Amino acid sequence: MSRLAAPGELGIVDVGTLHTEAGARIPGAQIAYRRWGELHGLESGRTNIILVEHSLTSGPEADEWWPGIIGPGRALDTDRFCVVCTNSIGGFHGSTGPSSPHPEDGRAWGSRFPGISIRDQVTAELAFLDALGIPAVHAVVGGSMGGARALEWAAMAPDRLNAAGVIAVSARASAWQIGIQAAQIDAIEGDPHWHGGDYYDTGHSPREGLATARRIAHLTYRGELELDERFGVEAQTGENPLGPYRDPQQRFAVESYLDYQARKLTARFDAGSYVTLTDALNRHDIGRGRGGLNRALSSIHVPMFIAGVDTDILYPYHQQEHLSRNVGNLLGMAKISSPVGHDAFLAEHRQMDHVLRRFIHLAEESVHGNAASHFG
Amino acid sequence: MSRLAAPGELGIVDVGTLHTEAGARIPGAQIAYRRWGELHGLESGRTNIILVEHSLTSGPEADEWWPGIIGPGRALDTDRFCVVCTNSIGGFHGSTGPSSPHPEDGRAWGSRFPGISIRDQVTAELAFLDALGIPAVHAVVGGSMGGARALEWAAMAPDRLNAAGVIAVSARASAWQIGIQAAQIDAIEGDPHWHGGDYYDTGHSPREGLATARRIAHLTYRGELELDERFGVEAQTGENPLGPYRDPQQRFAVESYLDYQARKLTARFDAGSYVTLTDALNRHDIGRGRGGLNRALSSIHVPMFIAGVDTDILYPYHQQEHLSRNVGNLLGMAKISSPVGHDAFLAEHRQMDHVLRRFIHLAEESVHGNAASHFG
């Protein structure tokens, strides 16, 4: 096998040609990743890898978006585990996506980049492990889009992981999610700078559309309780949204905050990747081609830990309860209690530390239990 | 007084010059209305009017948007009450709004129409009653923006009503509401056909922006449970949103449904009124200039009945609980249980019939109780 990138450094792995679920090809695909902790167990066919799956616009910098979770003695303990975080195919943190050079002409893939599903993201990760000569991982864990990938991992490659941690996600996209996510895609595709996805050499980008998408998305990530505690009906400093005539320059504080979030995203993320990954979320359906939702879930025998957030409006907690009732081998379940909403799986560090320690503990118990029954 | 319009017919009342809370003027203002049932009690200074307040894009056709609620023997019993429904100032159902001819030049008000608050809407209704020589009404009731007006009625004109029915609304806009409503306003103001609000004689209108606004708004009106029951991840008939390449023409069923809702609205409603009334919702704050939220609420001594919907994400039920804990004279409270979300106050006819009958009963009991203690 090739050597892993140095701890914390960005590595890039060639994974060859990917074939998507819908029948397209991605030749010359690359997957970017970072890792923390040393890899063990290759010889036994089982490794100590914990594969961490990022959400929509984040990347392999799991130490940044899950601060305090990864490290020596932490919930994801790098004294014992090799924590690996790959960037999704289609993403914008080093893996091949719409903004990457196409192998044939070196110009951006743009509209030539196919529509991908959550399953295609997992296919790419399995190819990534193959390329590195890694037969299996210990666990796969993630929240939101990362949770969807962890769930598909358990369905697609049950022999290649011991346990899955599925956080703040559902068995499939809901109509509401598709609706609000389609509104975000529409905002980008309706931007005159979008050019059907082929804007990369025009000197412009659909920044305004992406900003609009982010403003809407952020309101699905953040609970209304938390937003209201912070901003209420306050005016932005120096502005007056209560004037005699409406003026878009006179904003409430929450509008300014959402504008700031939008600017932050447009400065660091690509609109093409945003559309591709949001479309992948819309395609999320664990039951597709597997006899329906609950049959598919009940056939998943990988030990699974499920967590959700009580105030999540994007992936409401009843969706995690549905998962927990139907998966074939439930390790345990946790409810994160927070005013923050969906993003609590990133923001509530104390609770997430607890949830992830419990997941890792139950996953190991499950492995040892199985070992005992097999060999004891 | 002038005679009321015939039952069910649209009437228009000149209310003179309105002065807005923020210091602008609306000369030559008119308020449109419909009524059902005969007016009694003018001589006593108390009338049998139940003033029904519509929500954002509806109008005085309360018999249409509250079907089965208004009529002989119904919850709002026209054998006993005169049910009146006015169109909000700024609206698009006959009252003066951005699309109306300005009295000075006959051209549309457009950007000359001022920003209005919920209080300005009530000011216009009080002027409407003055113009008709009606000193007081029996009750004011409404949901959503109509609920905000009912609440402000109780704060602004306590001597002119016996009771208020406040449904699916809050004491003030929340930061989340402002955020999602600002996104809708942005979509309209960002449409190239908006022309700063002065599009009325351009031969174009910001239909696309209004359609986008409606798609987003509809997702705040409808509960995700109900949408998911109806549409799930189904593809629109004849379309394939799971194809090898993303294609905006290939939609999920829920996308098609939202497009249909958007087309319905753009065919019947004006973008200028949509911006004006949405901005009014953002300005909703019962505490402004009254010593803060809870002081303002506790000083309201008009008997008040409060109802909300358990699955409402736009005006979550805890906001109605907050109202009920703080108003000075709570008649009662009701929780509408429904997968429909916010719109349940329009859609759950059986429950709304029950809620409104209870409100009317308690309001009358309260009047008789007061009469007994005053005169008994």
Side-chain angles (χ1 to χ4, degrees):
Chain A
M1 62 159 282
S2 29
R3 284 176 43 164
L4 290 180
E9 298 298 312
L10 192 73
I12 306 278
V13 172
D14 290 309
V15 299
T17 297
L18 296 175
H19 297 266
T20 71
E21 186 187 355
R25 291 168 64 252
I26 308 174
Q30 294 184 315
I31 294 296
Y33 73 104
R34 294 180 194 263
R35 61 103 177 189
W36 302 264
E38 296 306 317
L39 173 61
H40 299 299
L42 261 188
E43 319 70 29
S44 69
R46 288 287 178 192
T47 67
N48 67 335
I49 290 176
I50 296 175
L51 183 63
V52 173
E53 304 277 41
H54 66 75
S55 58
L56 186 72
T57 66
S58 54
E61 294 72 29
D63 55 332
E64 294 178 10
W65 51 260
W66 248 352
I69 294 293
I70 300 165
R74 307 283 184 145
L76 305 185
D77 184 356
T78 51
D79 285 340
R80 304 182 50 227
F81 295 106
C82 178
V83 176
V84 174
C85 186
T86 55
N87 183 214
S88 167
I89 187 77
F92 191 62
H93 289 81
S95 293
T96 302
S99 65
S100 305
H102 193 287
E104 280 175 19
D105 56 18
R107 295 175 53 208
W109 276 82
S111 65
R112 298 176 291 181
F113 197 85
I116 61 170
S117 64
I118 302 295
R119 298 184 195 184
D120 294 327
Q121 298 177 313
V122 173
T123 297
E125 293 189 312
L126 295 170
F128 162 83
L129 293 186
D130 291 343
L132 289 173
I134 297 171
V137 302
H138 173 57
V140 180
V141 62
S144 198
M145 193 181 78
R149 278 141 79 201
L151 183 62
E152 276 291 353
W153 250 92
M156 290 170 67
D159 297 334
R160 298 185 75 169
L161 76 169
N162 293 328
V166 174
I167 303 168
V169 77
S170 58
R172 63 159 169 79
S174 76
W176 195 90
Q177 287 157 11
I178 293 172
I180 201 78
Q181 286 161 180
Q184 296 166 44
I185 292 175
D186 288 349
I188 295 170
E189 292 182 339
D191 187 310
H193 293 313
W194 171 247
H195 288 292
D198 294 311
Y199 58 86
Y200 295 97
D201 54 7
T202 64
H204 298 285
S205 77
R207 293 174 62 90
E208 287 308 311
L210 181 58
T212 297
R214 181 60 163 195
R215 284 189 204 95
I216 298 168
H218 202 77
L219 291 164
T220 69
Y221 300 156
R222 287 280 155 169
E224 49 95 23
L225 292 167
E226 188 245 10
L227 282 178
D228 205 58
E229 280 168 8
R230 290 171 66 182
F231 304 108
V233 292
E234 292 304 311
Q236 176 64 5
T237 306
E239 303 181 22
N240 176 21
L242 304 174
Y245 293 88
R246 167 156 175 83
D247 176 353
Q249 307 301 316
Q250 307 294 321
R251 298 168 302 171
F252 290 95
V254 68
E255 290 183 85
S256 168
Y257 166 76
L258 292 171
D259 288 344
Y260 168 75
Q261 294 295 335
R263 279 198 308 277
K264 270 210 314 190
L265 186 78
T266 58
R268 72 170 177 84
F269 205 72
D270 173 55
S273 278
Y274 195 94
V275 167
T276 295
L277 297 183
T278 302
D279 184 52
L281 283 174
N282 282 354
R283 294 175 186 227
H284 174 46
D285 182 1
I286 199 80
R288 185 168 57 240
R290 295 173 181 150
L293 217 55
N294 292 346
R295 182 173 298 189
L297 289 175
S298 65
S299 74
I300 298 177
H301 293 290
V302 172
M304 192 174 291
F305 191 90
I306 294 164
V309 183
D310 59 354
T311 55
D312 191 341
I313 63 165
L314 185 58
Y315 291 94
Y317 190 71
H318 68 81
Q319 296 177 349
Q320 290 93 58
E321 291 179 319
H322 169 259
L323 281 174
S324 75
R325 281 195 305 273
N326 288 282
V327 292
N329 191 352
L330 182 68
L331 272 183
M333 194 173 185
K335 182 190 275 189
I336 300 151
S337 180
S338 171
V340 169
H342 183 65
D343 269 357
F345 85 90
L346 296 168
E348 296 290 2
H349 303 134
R350 189 192 63 79
Q351 292 184 65
M352 284 313 300
D353 177 84
H354 185 73
V355 164
L356 290 169
R357 283 182 194 274
R358 191 159 149 237
F359 165 55
I360 295 299
H361 173 73
L362 291 171
E364 289 195 278
E365 236 179 21
S366 158
V367 171
H368 295 144
N370 286 340
S373 66
H374 288 164
F375 308 111
Chain B
M1 62 160 281
S2 31
R3 283 173 44 161
L4 290 180
E9 298 297 311
L10 192 73
I12 305 279
V13 172
D14 290 309
V15 298
T17 296
L18 296 176
H19 297 265
T20 71
E21 185 186 355
R25 290 168 64 253
I26 308 175
Q30 294 184 314
I31 294 295
Y33 73 104
R34 294 179 193 264
R35 62 101 178 190
W36 302 266
E38 296 307 316
L39 173 61
H40 299 298
L42 262 187
E43 319 70 31
S44 70
R46 288 288 177 191
T47 68
N48 66 336
I49 289 176
I50 296 176
L51 183 63
V52 173
E53 304 277 42
H54 66 75
S55 57
L56 185 72
T57 66
S58 54
E61 294 72 29
D63 53 334
E64 294 178 9
W65 52 259
W66 248 353
I69 294 294
I70 301 164
R74 306 284 184 142
L76 305 185
D77 185 356
T78 52
D79 284 342
R80 304 182 51 228
F81 295 105
C82 179
V83 176
V84 174
C85 186
T86 55
N87 183 213
S88 167
I89 186 76
F92 189 63
H93 289 80
S95 293
T96 302
S99 66
S100 305
H102 193 286
E104 279 177 18
D105 55 20
R107 294 175 54 206
W109 277 81
S111 66
R112 297 177 291 182
F113 197 85
I116 60 170
S117 64
I118 302 294
R119 299 183 194 183
D120 294 327
Q121 297 176 314
V122 173
T123 297
E125 293 189 313
L126 294 170
F128 162 85
L129 292 186
D130 291 342
L132 288 172
I134 298 170
V137 302
H138 172 58
V140 180
V141 61
S144 198
M145 194 181 79
R149 278 140 79 202
L151 183 62
E152 275 291 355
W153 251 90
M156 290 171 66
D159 296 334
R160 298 185 76 169
L161 77 169
N162 293 327
V166 173
I167 303 168
V169 77
S170 57
R172 63 158 168 80
S174 75
W176 195 90
Q177 288 157 11
I178 293 172
I180 202 78
Q181 286 162 180
Q184 296 167 43
I185 293 174
D186 288 348
I188 296 170
E189 292 182 338
D191 186 311
H193 293 313
W194 171 247
H195 288 292
D198 294 312
Y199 57 86
Y200 295 96
D201 54 8
T202 64
H204 298 284
S205 78
R207 292 173 62 89
E208 287 309 309
L210 181 57
T212 297
R214 182 58 163 196
R215 285 189 203 94
I216 298 168
H218 201 77
L219 291 165
T220 69
Y221 300 155
R222 286 280 155 169
E224 48 95 24
L225 292 167
E226 189 244 10
L227 282 179
D228 205 58
E229 281 167 7
R230 290 171 66 182
F231 303 109
V233 291
E234 293 302 312
Q236 176 65 4
T237 305
E239 303 181 22
N240 176 22
L242 304 174
Y245 294 87
R246 168 157 174 82
D247 177 353
Q249 307 302 315
Q250 307 294 321
R251 298 168 301 172
F252 290 94
V254 68
E255 290 182 86
S256 167
Y257 166 77
L258 292 170
D259 288 345
Y260 168 76
Q261 295 295 334
R263 279 198 308 277
K264 270 209 315 191
L265 186 78
T266 58
R268 73 170 176 83
F269 205 73
D270 173 55
S273 278
Y274 195 95
V275 167
T276 295
L277 297 183
T278 303
D279 184 53
L281 283 174
N282 283 353
R283 295 175 186 227
H284 174 47
D285 181 1
I286 200 80
R288 184 169 56 241
R290 294 172 180 151
L293 217 55
N294 292 346
R295 182 174 296 190
L297 288 175
S298 66
S299 73
I300 298 177
H301 293 291
V302 173
M304 190 173 294
F305 190 88
I306 294 164
V309 182
D310 58 354
T311 55
D312 191 340
I313 63 167
L314 185 58
Y315 291 94
Y317 191 70
H318 69 82
Q319 295 178 350
Q320 290 92 58
E321 290 179 320
H322 169 258
L323 280 173
S324 75
R325 281 196 304 272
N326 287 283
V327 293
N329 190 350
L330 182 68
L331 272 182
M333 193 172 186
K335 182 191 276 190
I336 300 151
S337 179
S338 170
V340 169
H342 184 65
D343 268 0
F345 84 91
L346 298 167
E348 297 289 3
H349 303 134
R350 189 192 61 80
Q351 292 184 65
M352 283 313 300
D353 177 86
H354 185 75
V355 165
L356 290 170
R357 283 182 194 275
R358 192 160 149 236
F359 164 56
I360 295 299
H361 173 74
L362 290 171
E364 290 196 277
E365 237 181 19
S366 157
V367 171
H368 295 144
N370 285 340
S373 65
H374 289 164
F375 309 112

